[in-house]
């Protein structure tokens, strides 16, 4: 279980976290979503003892994260956002040192290393220097390393960045599997379908505040059931409707071409962090403006 | 203290991977100093009734062990600023004293290795000295002190460039003035009393006396021990503070 109470983190000029509180239950998969710079990594760094908070408390399976830090850390595994492997050592040496840091016996280390490397399809790479692996392979080593000591709480900060679709799905099933074995999982991602597929509950973070926290189904239900996309003057406009009939009635009154689809978590994310939800939450409009500015498009006087 | 071993082991794995390069680089400066000062100054000069080479070798031992123990700071910095490995340690159930112990032992090991290189060079140039227990004790205390200093400073610097600045300001002056290349008793008294404050001075003194086969005075050992333990404690404090 993860419990954080009023966590505040201020850097010199930036307020990265603004009094965040929530609880993640045992065996829950919790996704933490938010735009760049919203404070996701900061939260994870505080919980794993890499950064000191300005104020607030956190408990990991009941252990206070600072007063009882060694005991808290023993239960946690971490996949940081930035790759931090020993480039001059082999894959196996990296994992072995990690196992030693977590006081695993040599049999445990060997058995777990073999099993995990096989799972992430790196068993044939285990004696290569990490420096010689591809970016995605390094990510997979990071995941294997974090799981090596069978942590009860697992923190993953954008663990599947740069992975190919096959291996990403493999990591997803691995996460589901270890969740079923009772591990509590705290995950950040910018791939919203990842959160939608994996998470029991999702928190939306914005400027260091939690703006929404609920199950993916409830979050989607807040903006409606059906989404209608339409291009207007090069802008994508999306409108949300509680029912298919309502959407159809709307289309009938309009001209042009629309595409109707079910609301997904990305819609909820854009709407709810864009704070464009209307009072009753039923029909909101968010303009997901993808048009580049004129300055970016300008090609100079000789351009087309 | 439990848990220092993985830290030590990691440094040793890295050292082993570039062992030949390391040994080559460890031998460069002793050989240069030997040629420049030892042979260049000729065999006529004697200091305290011994040839200059016999005077120089213990000084080189003190200097090399200091430089190599201090070089652990570079390893820590690379691990910290380039690869972020330091965060892997911070996120694991590893106490700060255990971390500092592992790194300090790695520094001492490097220093001992480099001293072996100097001894080999001395042997090849025909210098016979006594490498007894007191000699090694002084080498170990000296490298313990400078490894601890290195770990502490590595936690304070903000970038890898700062680190080489520190080496320039701390280590290079000490290497020349810490009783390594010339006897301090030829200096004016006031200079002597300043240079006696440098931690390398008692190390040179103890290493030289034991290498000459004399029973070394106890005082340098006391200074090295007290200073080393203080810096070790300070390093632990600074590791704790190294979280943003
Ligand atoms: N070491 C630091 N010093 C100063 N400011 C920092 C530091 N680390 C983070 N910040 C600031 O804190 C805020 C939150 O950063 P954080 O890394 O937690 O964002 P994030 O949600 O993980 O973003 P991303 O999706 O880009 O990874 C940002 O405004 C960032 O500039
Ligand atoms: Mg981040």
């Amino acid at each position: 279980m993860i419990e954080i109470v009023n966590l505040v983190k201020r850097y010199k000029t930036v307020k990265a976290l603004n009094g965040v509180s929530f609880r993640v239950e045992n065996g829950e998969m919790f996704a933490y979503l938010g735009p760049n710079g919203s404070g996701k990594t900061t939260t994870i760094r505080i919980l794993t003892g890499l950064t000191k908070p300005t104020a607030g408390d956190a408990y990991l399976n009941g252990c206070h994260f600072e007063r009882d830090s060694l005991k808290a850390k023993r239960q946690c595994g971490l996949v940081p956002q930035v790759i931090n492997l020993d480039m001059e050592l082999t894959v196996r040496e990296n994992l072995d040192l990690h196992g030693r840091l977590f006081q695993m016996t040599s049999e445990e280390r060997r058995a777990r290393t073999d099993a995990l490397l096989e799972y992430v399809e790196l068993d044939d790479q285990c004696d290569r220097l990490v420096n010689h692996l591809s970016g995605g392979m390094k990510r997979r080593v990071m995941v294997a390393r974090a799981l090596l000591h069978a942590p009860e709480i697992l923190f993953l900060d954008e663990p599947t960045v740069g992975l190919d679709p096959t291996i990403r799905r493999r990591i997803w099933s691995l996460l589901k599997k270890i969740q079923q074995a009772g591990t509590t999982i705290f995950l950040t991602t910018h791939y919203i379908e990842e959160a939608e597929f994996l998470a029991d509950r999702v928190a939306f973070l914005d400027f260091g505040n939690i703006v929404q926290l609920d199950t993916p189904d409830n979050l989607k239900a807040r903006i409606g059931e059906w989404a209608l996309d339409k291009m207007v003057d090069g802008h994508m406009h999306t409108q949300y409707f509680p029912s298919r009939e309502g959407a159809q009635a709307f289309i009938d009154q309009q001209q042009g071409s629309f595409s109707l689809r079910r609301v997904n978590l990305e819609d909820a994310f854009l709407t709810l962090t864009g704070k464009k939800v209307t009072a009753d939450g039923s029909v909101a409009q968010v303009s997901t403006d993808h048009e580049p500015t004129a300055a970016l498009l300008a090609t100079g006087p000789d351009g087309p | 203290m439990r848990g220092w071993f993985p830290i030590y082991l990691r440094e040793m794995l890295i050292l082993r991977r570039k062992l030949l390069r390391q040994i080559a680089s460890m031998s460069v400066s002793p050989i240069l100093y030997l040629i420049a000062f030892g042979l260049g100054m000729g065999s006529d000069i004697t200091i305290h009734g011994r040839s200059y080479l016999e005077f120089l070798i213990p000084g080189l031992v003190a200097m090399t062990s200091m430089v190599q123990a201090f070089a652990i700071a570079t390893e820590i910095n690379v691990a910290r600023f380039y690869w972020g490995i330091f965060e892997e340690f911070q996120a694991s159930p590893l106490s700060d004293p255990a971390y500092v112990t592992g790194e300090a032992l790695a520094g001492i090991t490097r220093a001992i290795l480099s001293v072996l290189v100097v001894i080999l060079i001395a042997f090849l140039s025909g210098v016979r000295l006594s490498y007894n227990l007191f000699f090694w004790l002084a080498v170990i205390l000296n490298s313990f002190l400078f490894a601890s200093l290195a770990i502490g400073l590595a936690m304070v610097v903000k970038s890898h460039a700062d680190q080489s600045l520190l080496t320039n300001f701390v280590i290079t002056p000490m290497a020349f003035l810490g009783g390594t290349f010339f006897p301090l008793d030829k200096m004016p008294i006031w200079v002597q009393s300043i240079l006696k404050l440098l931690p390398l001075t008692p190390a040179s003194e103890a290493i030289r006396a034991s290498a000459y086969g004399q029973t070394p005075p106890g005082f340098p050992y006391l200074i090295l021990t007290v200073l080393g333990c203080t810096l070790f404690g300070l390093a632990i404090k600074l590791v704790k503070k190294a979280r943003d």
Side-chain angles (χ1 to χ4, degrees), chain A residues 11 14 16 34-42 81 158 190, chain B residues 244:
Chain A
Y11 291 105
V14 190
N36 289 139
S38 53
K40 303 181 295 298
T41 299
T42 304
Q81 182 171 359
E158 302 187 30
H190 287 295
Chain B
D244 54 353

Side-chain angles (χ1 to χ4, degrees), chain A residues 45 49 73 86 93 98, chain B residues 10 17 87-88 90 243:
Chain A
R45 288 178 59 89
K73 286 175 182 175
D86 244 314
E93 285 168 341
H98 179 89
Chain B
R10 170 179 174 273
R17 199 137 281 148
E87 300 199 335
E88 154 84 350
Q90 282 180 312
R243 293 159 221 263

